[in-house]
Amino acid sequence: MGAPLRAVPAAVDTEALAGVVRAIACLLTGDNDGAWREAQVAREMVRREGWSIVQAEAEVMRCEIAVVAGWCERLAAAAGELASLAQSCRSTRFSDDARFFASVSSRNPDPAVLEHLASRATIAPVAARRARVLLSPRRQRGAAPAAPGDLVDR
């Protein structure tokens, strides 16, 4: 059974959010390493405080950065962390997000996994949308997504 849910103190929540915003700013300027560092700092802060749901959100951010940067090994590791967090906080949405990121970390996602995730729009809408992008007829003809944001846009 997961840890009981508690409200995140405003100071922790604000600082973690600031770290995520800094990570996004780095990502938008092409500084993938800086984005990773900022997301790491945000994740570690909430990990120390024991806020597993906020930590899972930070882990999703790390996965998104790894997708944009093309870091398959980091993506696989972050997806594994996200899967563990999803299990501990009993989150189907984060579990599906982790399955998506684990699948794409291989650079050759399993179509059966993508089909399953694409059907779960009411449970995990972001993972479902991302899976549909990869299953689209344009993508199946070998075309890359229009932009990395197609896989990480929220």
Side-chain angles (χ1 to χ4, degrees):
M1 183 170 234
L5 297 180
R6 300 175 287 150
V8 179
V12 172
D13 192 35
T14 301
E15 191 56 36
L17 178 59
V20 169
V21 169
R22 286 190 300 270
I24 293 169
C26 288
L27 200 57
L28 291 173
T29 62
D31 182 5
N32 298 335
D33 291 320
W36 186 264
R37 279 190 305 275
E38 292 294 346
Q40 248 335 67
V41 168
R43 182 190 71 157
E44 291 306 315
M45 175 187 306
V46 293
R47 180 188 299 212
R48 280 192 308 273
E49 298 294 329
W51 308 110
S52 59
I53 291 176
V54 181
Q55 184 183 342
E57 289 288 355
E59 203 64 59
V60 167
M61 181 73 205
R62 287 184 353 125
C63 288
E64 292 169 342
I65 293 164
V67 166
V68 170
W71 295 331
C72 293
E73 288 180 18
R74 285 187 185 183
L75 177 56
E81 288 284 326
L82 182 57
S84 294
L85 286 166
Q87 184 176 10
S88 74
C89 62
R90 299 180 312 247
S91 170
T92 305
R93 178 177 67 93
F94 287 130
S95 179
D96 283 357
D97 286 344
R99 286 186 70 198
F100 173 81
F101 288 122
S103 181
V104 299
S105 72
S106 71
R107 292 193 186 258
N108 191 16
D110 181 347
V113 170
L114 295 177
E115 287 285 349
H116 173 73
L117 293 172
S119 72
R120 296 171 59 83
T122 59
I123 297 167
V126 176
R129 183 173 61 244
R130 291 172 175 164
R132 285 193 305 272
V133 166
L134 291 181
L135 291 168
S136 72
R138 179 177 180 272
R139 177 72 176 125
Q140 290 173 4
R141 289 191 305 269
D150 289 351
L151 297 180
V152 296
D153 181 33
R154 292 199 218 177

